[in-house]
mmCIF file of all heavy atoms in Angstrom:
data_model
loop_
_atom_site.group_PDB
_atom_site.id
_atom_site.type_symbol
_atom_site.label_atom_id
_atom_site.label_comp_id
_atom_site.label_asym_id
_atom_site.label_seq_id
_atom_site.Cartn_x
_atom_site.Cartn_y
_atom_site.Cartn_z
ATOM 1 N N LEU A 231 17.708 10.736 47.092
ATOM 2 C CA LEU A 231 16.864 11.287 46.025
ATOM 3 C C LEU A 231 16.238 12.605 46.443
ATOM 4 O O LEU A 231 16.248 13.582 45.717
ATOM 5 C CB LEU A 231 15.793 10.283 45.646
ATOM 6 C CG LEU A 231 14.709 10.821 44.704
ATOM 7 C CD1 LEU A 231 15.269 11.020 43.321
ATOM 8 C CD2 LEU A 231 13.511 9.919 44.693
ATOM 9 N N GLY A 232 15.686 12.617 47.666
ATOM 10 C CA GLY A 232 15.067 13.856 48.176
ATOM 11 C C GLY A 232 16.064 14.984 48.268
ATOM 12 O O GLY A 232 15.753 16.126 47.913
ATOM 13 N N ILE A 233 17.261 14.705 48.713
ATOM 14 C CA ILE A 233 18.297 15.741 48.844
ATOM 15 C C ILE A 233 18.706 16.260 47.468
ATOM 16 O O ILE A 233 18.850 17.467 47.257
ATOM 17 C CB ILE A 233 19.497 15.206 49.642
ATOM 18 C CG1 ILE A 233 19.092 14.981 51.106
ATOM 19 C CG2 ILE A 233 20.692 16.141 49.552
ATOM 20 C CD1 ILE A 233 20.121 14.254 51.938
ATOM 21 N N VAL A 234 18.913 15.350 46.509
ATOM 22 C CA VAL A 234 19.316 15.761 45.173
ATOM 23 C C VAL A 234 18.243 16.651 44.530
ATOM 24 O O VAL A 234 18.544 17.720 43.971
ATOM 25 C CB VAL A 234 19.602 14.531 44.281
ATOM 26 C CG1 VAL A 234 19.698 14.907 42.810
ATOM 27 C CG2 VAL A 234 20.879 13.832 44.740
ATOM 28 N N ILE A 235 17.001 16.253 44.624
ATOM 29 C CA ILE A 235 15.917 17.045 44.017
ATOM 30 C C ILE A 235 15.788 18.392 44.707
ATOM 31 O O ILE A 235 15.571 19.403 44.069
ATOM 32 C CB ILE A 235 14.607 16.243 44.029
ATOM 33 C CG1 ILE A 235 14.749 15.097 43.011
ATOM 34 C CG2 ILE A 235 13.405 17.116 43.674
ATOM 35 C CD1 ILE A 235 13.582 14.178 42.911
ATOM 36 N N TYR A 236 15.960 18.415 46.041
ATOM 37 C CA TYR A 236 15.934 19.685 46.761
ATOM 38 C C TYR A 236 17.001 20.642 46.238
ATOM 39 O O TYR A 236 16.732 21.818 45.975
ATOM 40 C CB TYR A 236 16.115 19.443 48.271
ATOM 41 C CG TYR A 236 16.401 20.698 49.045
ATOM 42 C CD1 TYR A 236 15.388 21.610 49.335
ATOM 43 C CD2 TYR A 236 17.700 21.019 49.452
ATOM 44 C CE1 TYR A 236 15.637 22.769 50.022
ATOM 45 C CE2 TYR A 236 17.971 22.166 50.135
ATOM 46 C CZ TYR A 236 16.927 23.053 50.414
ATOM 47 O OH TYR A 236 17.193 24.220 51.097
ATOM 48 N N PHE A 237 18.208 20.147 46.060
ATOM 49 C CA PHE A 237 19.287 21.009 45.580
ATOM 50 C C PHE A 237 19.055 21.442 44.142
ATOM 51 O O PHE A 237 19.419 22.555 43.770
ATOM 52 C CB PHE A 237 20.649 20.333 45.748
ATOM 53 C CG PHE A 237 21.196 20.450 47.132
ATOM 54 C CD1 PHE A 237 21.372 19.328 47.925
ATOM 55 C CD2 PHE A 237 21.496 21.689 47.668
ATOM 56 C CE1 PHE A 237 21.843 19.434 49.206
ATOM 57 C CE2 PHE A 237 21.975 21.792 48.973
ATOM 58 C CZ PHE A 237 22.152 20.672 49.741
ATOM 59 N N VAL A 238 18.435 20.618 43.331
ATOM 60 C CA VAL A 238 18.081 21.034 41.976
ATOM 61 C C VAL A 238 17.085 22.193 42.030
ATOM 62 O O VAL A 238 17.223 23.176 41.320
ATOM 63 C CB VAL A 238 17.514 19.849 41.147
ATOM 64 C CG1 VAL A 238 16.886 20.339 39.854
ATOM 65 C CG2 VAL A 238 18.606 18.826 40.871
ATOM 66 N N PHE A 239 16.081 22.069 42.893
ATOM 67 C CA PHE A 239 15.084 23.142 43.033
ATOM 68 C C PHE A 239 15.724 24.451 43.484
ATOM 69 O O PHE A 239 15.383 25.507 42.972
ATOM 70 C CB PHE A 239 14.008 22.764 44.041
ATOM 71 C CG PHE A 239 13.076 21.662 43.620
ATOM 72 C CD1 PHE A 239 12.386 20.933 44.554
ATOM 73 C CD2 PHE A 239 12.891 21.362 42.266
ATOM 74 C CE1 PHE A 239 11.523 19.910 44.175
ATOM 75 C CE2 PHE A 239 12.043 20.336 41.879
ATOM 76 C CZ PHE A 239 11.360 19.616 42.838
ATOM 77 N N VAL A 240 16.656 24.354 44.416
ATOM 78 C CA VAL A 240 17.260 25.574 44.963
ATOM 79 C C VAL A 240 18.310 26.171 44.015
ATOM 80 O O VAL A 240 18.392 27.387 43.881
ATOM 81 C CB VAL A 240 17.888 25.270 46.352
ATOM 82 C CG1 VAL A 240 18.708 26.439 46.845
ATOM 83 C CG2 VAL A 240 16.794 24.935 47.346
ATOM 84 N N GLN A 241 19.087 25.327 43.343
ATOM 85 C CA GLN A 241 20.209 25.818 42.539
ATOM 86 C C GLN A 241 19.844 26.201 41.121
ATOM 87 O O GLN A 241 20.524 27.035 40.521
ATOM 88 C CB GLN A 241 21.334 24.772 42.527
ATOM 89 C CG GLN A 241 21.915 24.477 43.880
ATOM 90 C CD GLN A 241 22.569 25.686 44.503
ATOM 91 O OE1 GLN A 241 23.195 26.506 43.840
ATOM 92 N NE2 GLN A 241 22.419 25.809 45.815
ATOM 93 N N TRP A 242 18.809 25.635 40.558
ATOM 94 C CA TRP A 242 18.451 25.930 39.170
ATOM 95 C C TRP A 242 17.534 27.161 39.161
ATOM 96 O O TRP A 242 16.362 27.106 38.841
ATOM 97 C CB TRP A 242 17.768 24.742 38.533
ATOM 98 C CG TRP A 242 17.784 24.743 37.043
ATOM 99 C CD1 TRP A 242 18.162 25.723 36.201
ATOM 100 C CD2 TRP A 242 17.359 23.651 36.208
ATOM 101 N NE1 TRP A 242 18.030 25.344 34.910
ATOM 102 C CE2 TRP A 242 17.547 24.077 34.877
ATOM 103 C CE3 TRP A 242 16.854 22.388 36.450
ATOM 104 C CZ2 TRP A 242 17.218 23.264 33.796
ATOM 105 C CZ3 TRP A 242 16.552 21.578 35.388
ATOM 106 C CH2 TRP A 242 16.713 22.019 34.084
ATOM 107 N N VAL A 243 18.130 28.299 39.474
ATOM 108 C CA VAL A 243 17.403 29.536 39.704
ATOM 109 C C VAL A 243 16.628 30.000 38.450
ATOM 110 O O VAL A 243 15.501 30.474 38.545
ATOM 111 C CB VAL A 243 18.358 30.657 40.181
ATOM 112 C CG1 VAL A 243 17.648 31.978 40.342
ATOM 113 C CG2 VAL A 243 19.026 30.234 41.473
ATOM 114 N N ASP A 244 17.224 29.830 37.274
ATOM 115 C CA ASP A 244 16.551 30.284 36.048
ATOM 116 C C ASP A 244 15.234 29.566 35.801
ATOM 117 O O ASP A 244 14.287 30.133 35.291
ATOM 118 C CB ASP A 244 17.457 30.073 34.824
ATOM 119 C CG ASP A 244 18.699 30.963 34.884
ATOM 120 O OD1 ASP A 244 18.655 31.981 35.564
ATOM 121 O OD2 ASP A 244 19.695 30.602 34.230
ATOM 122 N N LEU A 245 15.146 28.306 36.196
ATOM 123 C CA LEU A 245 13.944 27.526 35.954
ATOM 124 C C LEU A 245 13.004 27.525 37.156
ATOM 125 O O LEU A 245 11.793 27.696 36.998
ATOM 126 C CB LEU A 245 14.316 26.071 35.601
ATOM 127 C CG LEU A 245 13.165 25.165 35.183
ATOM 128 C CD1 LEU A 245 12.552 25.666 33.878
ATOM 129 C CD2 LEU A 245 13.646 23.754 35.036
ATOM 130 N N THR A 246 13.549 27.353 38.368
ATOM 131 C CA THR A 246 12.706 27.173 39.549
ATOM 132 C C THR A 246 12.564 28.422 40.411
ATOM 133 O O THR A 246 11.784 28.428 41.348
ATOM 134 C CB THR A 246 13.279 26.056 40.442
ATOM 135 O OG1 THR A 246 14.552 26.480 40.935
ATOM 136 C CG2 THR A 246 13.390 24.754 39.692
ATOM 137 N N GLY A 247 13.316 29.453 40.125
ATOM 138 C CA GLY A 247 13.278 30.650 40.967
ATOM 139 C C GLY A 247 14.151 30.526 42.221
ATOM 140 O O GLY A 247 14.169 31.429 43.039
ATOM 141 N N GLY A 248 14.847 29.417 42.355
ATOM 142 C CA GLY A 248 15.726 29.225 43.504
ATOM 143 C C GLY A 248 14.963 29.182 44.811
ATOM 144 O O GLY A 248 13.807 28.729 44.863
ATOM 145 N N PRO A 249 15.564 29.709 45.872
ATOM 146 C CA PRO A 249 14.895 29.674 47.178
ATOM 147 C C PRO A 249 13.612 30.519 47.232
ATOM 148 O O PRO A 249 12.749 30.262 48.066
ATOM 149 C CB PRO A 249 15.949 30.273 48.134
ATOM 150 C CG PRO A 249 17.239 30.140 47.426
ATOM 151 C CD PRO A 249 16.930 30.203 45.969
ATOM 152 N N SER A 250 13.471 31.477 46.344
ATOM 153 C CA SER A 250 12.287 32.328 46.327
ATOM 154 C C SER A 250 11.082 31.632 45.674
ATOM 155 O O SER A 250 9.950 32.054 45.865
ATOM 156 C CB SER A 250 12.561 33.618 45.576
ATOM 157 O OG SER A 250 13.579 34.346 46.220
ATOM 158 N N GLY A 251 11.345 30.603 44.871
ATOM 159 C CA GLY A 251 10.248 29.893 44.225
ATOM 160 C C GLY A 251 9.780 30.576 42.959
ATOM 161 O O GLY A 251 10.400 31.525 42.459
ATOM 162 N N ILE A 252 8.667 30.123 42.446
ATOM 163 C CA ILE A 252 8.110 30.621 41.176
ATOM 164 C C ILE A 252 6.972 31.591 41.484
ATOM 165 O O ILE A 252 6.064 31.257 42.251
ATOM 166 C CB ILE A 252 7.602 29.458 40.305
ATOM 167 C CG1 ILE A 252 8.784 28.539 39.958
ATOM 168 C CG2 ILE A 252 6.931 29.967 39.063
ATOM 169 C CD1 ILE A 252 8.394 27.266 39.222
ATOM 170 N N THR A 253 7.052 32.764 40.919
ATOM 171 C CA THR A 253 5.995 33.755 41.088
ATOM 172 C C THR A 253 5.159 33.852 39.838
ATOM 173 O O THR A 253 5.565 33.432 38.758
ATOM 174 C CB THR A 253 6.588 35.141 41.408
ATOM 175 O OG1 THR A 253 7.432 35.532 40.326
ATOM 176 C CG2 THR A 253 7.367 35.118 42.701
ATOM 177 N N GLY A 254 3.970 34.397 39.974
ATOM 178 C CA GLY A 254 3.101 34.602 38.826
ATOM 179 C C GLY A 254 2.322 33.400 38.387
ATOM 180 O O GLY A 254 1.846 33.345 37.256
ATOM 181 N N VAL A 255 2.166 32.407 39.253
ATOM 182 C CA VAL A 255 1.367 31.221 38.904
ATOM 183 C C VAL A 255 -0.083 31.668 38.813
ATOM 184 O O VAL A 255 -0.611 32.259 39.748
ATOM 185 C CB VAL A 255 1.536 30.101 39.975
ATOM 186 C CG1 VAL A 255 0.664 28.911 39.616
ATOM 187 C CG2 VAL A 255 2.996 29.690 40.054
ATOM 188 N N PRO A 256 -0.747 31.417 37.687
ATOM 189 C CA PRO A 256 -2.111 31.914 37.510
ATOM 190 C C PRO A 256 -3.125 31.162 38.384
ATOM 191 O O PRO A 256 -2.897 30.012 38.772
ATOM 192 C CB PRO A 256 -2.395 31.662 36.018
ATOM 193 C CG PRO A 256 -1.485 30.555 35.635
ATOM 194 C CD PRO A 256 -0.273 30.697 36.506
ATOM 195 N N ASN A 257 -4.248 31.839 38.664
ATOM 196 C CA ASN A 257 -5.307 31.201 39.403
ATOM 197 C C ASN A 257 -5.945 30.123 38.551
ATOM 198 O O ASN A 257 -5.979 30.232 37.312
ATOM 199 C CB ASN A 257 -6.382 32.224 39.784
ATOM 200 C CG ASN A 257 -5.895 33.183 40.844
ATOM 201 O OD1 ASN A 257 -5.178 32.826 41.730
ATOM 202 N ND2 ASN A 257 -6.315 34.437 40.747
ATOM 203 N N LEU A 258 -6.479 29.117 39.196
ATOM 204 C CA LEU A 258 -7.183 28.071 38.481
ATOM 205 C C LEU A 258 -8.542 28.597 37.987
ATOM 206 O O LEU A 258 -9.148 29.449 38.633
ATOM 207 C CB LEU A 258 -7.446 26.871 39.417
ATOM 208 C CG LEU A 258 -6.230 26.048 39.816
ATOM 209 C CD1 LEU A 258 -6.629 25.005 40.831
ATOM 210 C CD2 LEU A 258 -5.600 25.369 38.601
ATOM 211 N N GLU A 259 -8.977 28.081 36.872
ATOM 212 C CA GLU A 259 -10.289 28.417 36.327
ATOM 213 C C GLU A 259 -10.988 27.130 35.923
ATOM 214 O O GLU A 259 -10.345 26.219 35.393
ATOM 215 C CB GLU A 259 -10.161 29.329 35.110
ATOM 216 C CG GLU A 259 -9.620 30.700 35.425
ATOM 217 C CD GLU A 259 -9.543 31.594 34.191
ATOM 218 O OE1 GLU A 259 -10.128 31.236 33.144
ATOM 219 O OE2 GLU A 259 -8.889 32.636 34.277
ATOM 220 N N ALA A 260 -12.297 27.063 36.184
ATOM 221 C CA ALA A 260 -13.066 25.898 35.786
ATOM 222 C C ALA A 260 -14.491 26.358 35.441
ATOM 223 O O ALA A 260 -15.158 26.986 36.263
ATOM 224 C CB ALA A 260 -13.097 24.869 36.903
ATOM 225 N N PHE A 261 -14.909 26.040 34.235
ATOM 226 C CA PHE A 261 -16.262 26.357 33.772
ATOM 227 C C PHE A 261 -16.610 27.834 33.969
ATOM 228 O O PHE A 261 -17.694 28.186 34.409
ATOM 229 C CB PHE A 261 -17.307 25.467 34.489
ATOM 230 C CG PHE A 261 -16.982 23.998 34.399
ATOM 231 C CD1 PHE A 261 -16.558 23.307 35.527
ATOM 232 C CD2 PHE A 261 -17.079 23.335 33.186
ATOM 233 C CE1 PHE A 261 -16.256 21.949 35.437
ATOM 234 C CE2 PHE A 261 -16.758 21.984 33.105
ATOM 235 C CZ PHE A 261 -16.378 21.294 34.228
ATOM 236 N N GLY A 262 -15.661 28.702 33.672
ATOM 237 C CA GLY A 262 -15.864 30.135 33.778
ATOM 238 C C GLY A 262 -15.705 30.695 35.186
ATOM 239 O O GLY A 262 -15.840 31.881 35.394
ATOM 240 N N PHE A 263 -15.444 29.832 36.150
ATOM 241 C CA PHE A 263 -15.250 30.256 37.536
ATOM 242 C C PHE A 263 -13.768 30.337 37.841
ATOM 243 O O PHE A 263 -13.029 29.408 37.554
ATOM 244 C CB PHE A 263 -15.943 29.298 38.507
ATOM 245 C CG PHE A 263 -15.751 29.644 39.958
ATOM 246 C CD1 PHE A 263 -16.487 30.651 40.521
ATOM 247 C CD2 PHE A 263 -14.832 28.984 40.738
ATOM 248 C CE1 PHE A 263 -16.332 30.997 41.855
ATOM 249 C CE2 PHE A 263 -14.640 29.311 42.055
ATOM 250 C CZ PHE A 263 -15.407 30.321 42.630
ATOM 251 N N THR A 264 -13.313 31.458 38.405
ATOM 252 C CA THR A 264 -11.912 31.637 38.759
ATOM 253 C C THR A 264 -11.753 31.474 40.261
ATOM 254 O O THR A 264 -12.448 32.118 41.044
ATOM 255 C CB THR A 264 -11.425 33.027 38.334
ATOM 256 O OG1 THR A 264 -11.631 33.178 36.940
ATOM 257 C CG2 THR A 264 -9.957 33.210 38.632
ATOM 258 N N PHE A 265 -10.817 30.617 40.646
ATOM 259 C CA PHE A 265 -10.513 30.415 42.051
ATOM 260 C C PHE A 265 -9.591 31.542 42.499
ATOM 261 O O PHE A 265 -8.412 31.555 42.158
ATOM 262 C CB PHE A 265 -9.817 29.059 42.266
ATOM 263 C CG PHE A 265 -10.680 27.887 41.998
ATOM 264 C CD1 PHE A 265 -10.855 27.394 40.710
ATOM 265 C CD2 PHE A 265 -11.331 27.254 43.039
ATOM 266 C CE1 PHE A 265 -11.661 26.299 40.459
ATOM 267 C CE2 PHE A 265 -12.160 26.149 42.809
ATOM 268 C CZ PHE A 265 -12.323 25.682 41.511
ATOM 269 N N LYS A 266 -10.140 32.494 43.235
ATOM 270 C CA LYS A 266 -9.367 33.663 43.658
ATOM 271 C C LYS A 266 -9.135 33.713 45.156
ATOM 272 O O LYS A 266 -8.110 34.174 45.619
ATOM 273 C CB LYS A 266 -10.077 34.960 43.229
ATOM 274 C CG LYS A 266 -10.123 35.175 41.759
ATOM 275 C CD LYS A 266 -10.819 36.466 41.446
ATOM 276 C CE LYS A 266 -10.941 36.659 39.938
ATOM 277 N NZ LYS A 266 -11.687 37.850 39.595
ATOM 278 N N LYS A 267 -10.124 33.269 45.913
ATOM 279 C CA LYS A 267 -10.062 33.409 47.369
ATOM 280 C C LYS A 267 -9.641 32.088 48.010
ATOM 281 O O LYS A 267 -9.752 31.013 47.453
ATOM 282 C CB LYS A 267 -11.433 33.789 47.902
ATOM 283 C CG LYS A 267 -11.932 35.125 47.389
ATOM 284 C CD LYS A 267 -13.306 35.416 47.965
ATOM 285 C CE LYS A 267 -13.801 36.741 47.432
ATOM 286 N NZ LYS A 267 -15.159 37.025 47.926
ATOM 287 N N ASP A 268 -9.167 32.221 49.251
ATOM 288 C CA ASP A 268 -8.801 31.023 50.015
ATOM 289 C C ASP A 268 -9.990 30.087 50.191
ATOM 290 O O ASP A 268 -9.827 28.870 50.160
ATOM 291 C CB ASP A 268 -8.256 31.414 51.409
ATOM 292 C CG ASP A 268 -6.857 32.020 51.314
ATOM 293 O OD1 ASP A 268 -6.168 31.798 50.319
ATOM 294 O OD2 ASP A 268 -6.461 32.716 52.280
ATOM 295 N N LEU A 269 -11.167 30.648 50.345
ATOM 296 C CA LEU A 269 -12.373 29.810 50.491
ATOM 297 C C LEU A 269 -12.605 28.942 49.274
ATOM 298 O O LEU A 269 -12.973 27.781 49.388
ATOM 299 C CB LEU A 269 -13.590 30.696 50.747
ATOM 300 C CG LEU A 269 -14.901 29.957 51.014
ATOM 301 C CD1 LEU A 269 -14.803 29.166 52.320
ATOM 302 C CD2 LEU A 269 -16.053 30.936 51.079
ATOM 303 N N HIS A 270 -12.333 29.505 48.080
ATOM 304 C CA HIS A 270 -12.476 28.732 46.838
ATOM 305 C C HIS A 270 -11.497 27.557 46.824
ATOM 306 O O HIS A 270 -11.885 26.432 46.455
ATOM 307 C CB HIS A 270 -12.240 29.613 45.627
ATOM 308 C CG HIS A 270 -13.159 30.785 45.522
ATOM 309 N ND1 HIS A 270 -12.818 31.911 44.811
ATOM 310 C CD2 HIS A 270 -14.393 31.023 46.035
ATOM 311 C CE1 HIS A 270 -13.804 32.775 44.881
ATOM 312 N NE2 HIS A 270 -14.777 32.260 45.627
ATOM 313 N N TYR A 271 -10.251 27.836 47.183
ATOM 314 C CA TYR A 271 -9.251 26.759 47.168
ATOM 315 C C TYR A 271 -9.529 25.737 48.275
ATOM 316 O O TYR A 271 -9.233 24.548 48.117
ATOM 317 C CB TYR A 271 -7.840 27.348 47.302
ATOM 318 C CG TYR A 271 -7.352 27.915 45.983
ATOM 319 C CD1 TYR A 271 -7.290 29.282 45.784
ATOM 320 C CD2 TYR A 271 -6.959 27.092 44.945
ATOM 321 C CE1 TYR A 271 -6.874 29.818 44.588
ATOM 322 C CE2 TYR A 271 -6.522 27.598 43.742
ATOM 323 C CZ TYR A 271 -6.485 28.961 43.559
ATOM 324 O OH TYR A 271 -6.072 29.470 42.368
ATOM 325 N N TYR A 272 -10.067 26.194 49.386
ATOM 326 C CA TYR A 272 -10.435 25.276 50.458
ATOM 327 C C TYR A 272 -11.432 24.239 49.960
ATOM 328 O O TYR A 272 -11.268 23.046 50.165
ATOM 329 C CB TYR A 272 -11.020 26.056 51.651
ATOM 330 C CG TYR A 272 -11.535 25.120 52.755
ATOM 331 C CD1 TYR A 272 -10.683 24.675 53.737
ATOM 332 C CD2 TYR A 272 -12.871 24.726 52.762
ATOM 333 C CE1 TYR A 272 -11.138 23.824 54.718
ATOM 334 C CE2 TYR A 272 -13.324 23.877 53.761
ATOM 335 C CZ TYR A 272 -12.479 23.427 54.721
ATOM 336 O OH TYR A 272 -12.919 22.574 55.688
ATOM 337 N N TYR A 273 -12.475 24.728 49.261
ATOM 338 C CA TYR A 273 -13.498 23.816 48.766
ATOM 339 C C TYR A 273 -13.061 23.068 47.509
ATOM 340 O O TYR A 273 -13.785 22.221 47.008
ATOM 341 C CB TYR A 273 -14.801 24.571 48.521
ATOM 342 C CG TYR A 273 -15.561 24.820 49.786
ATOM 343 C CD1 TYR A 273 -15.865 26.110 50.212
ATOM 344 C CD2 TYR A 273 -15.980 23.752 50.612
ATOM 345 C CE1 TYR A 273 -16.559 26.330 51.381
ATOM 346 C CE2 TYR A 273 -16.666 23.968 51.774
ATOM 347 C CZ TYR A 273 -16.968 25.248 52.163
ATOM 348 O OH TYR A 273 -17.632 25.456 53.320
ATOM 349 N N LEU A 274 -11.882 23.332 47.003
ATOM 350 C CA LEU A 274 -11.298 22.521 45.949
ATOM 351 C C LEU A 274 -10.407 21.423 46.543
ATOM 352 O O LEU A 274 -10.530 20.255 46.172
ATOM 353 C CB LEU A 274 -10.453 23.371 45.004
ATOM 354 C CG LEU A 274 -9.661 22.645 43.945
ATOM 355 C CD1 LEU A 274 -10.608 21.990 42.929
ATOM 356 C CD2 LEU A 274 -8.706 23.587 43.228
#
């Protein structure tokens, strides 16, 4: 199962971005606060 899903992630380039992955994932926001820095994500 792990191998099949890995190959789906790598080969389905149009959906997953292939080996490069997905770019442009937006920052998280909560109650008007935007998680921009590593410190913010650390405390999340």
Side-chain angles (χ1 to χ4, degrees):
L231 170 72
I233 291 170
V234 167
I235 290 177
Y236 167 76
F237 279 115
V238 168
F239 290 157
V240 171
Q241 298 297 323
W242 200 351
V243 177
D244 294 338
L245 186 65
T246 65
S250 299
I252 297 173
T253 58
V255 177
N257 289 324
L258 290 174
E259 293 181 13
F261 307 109
F263 178 78
T264 303
F265 293 83
K266 292 181 183 176
K267 299 179 181 178
D268 287 340
L269 184 64
H270 301 157
Y271 283 105
Y272 174 87
Y273 281 120
L274 174 67

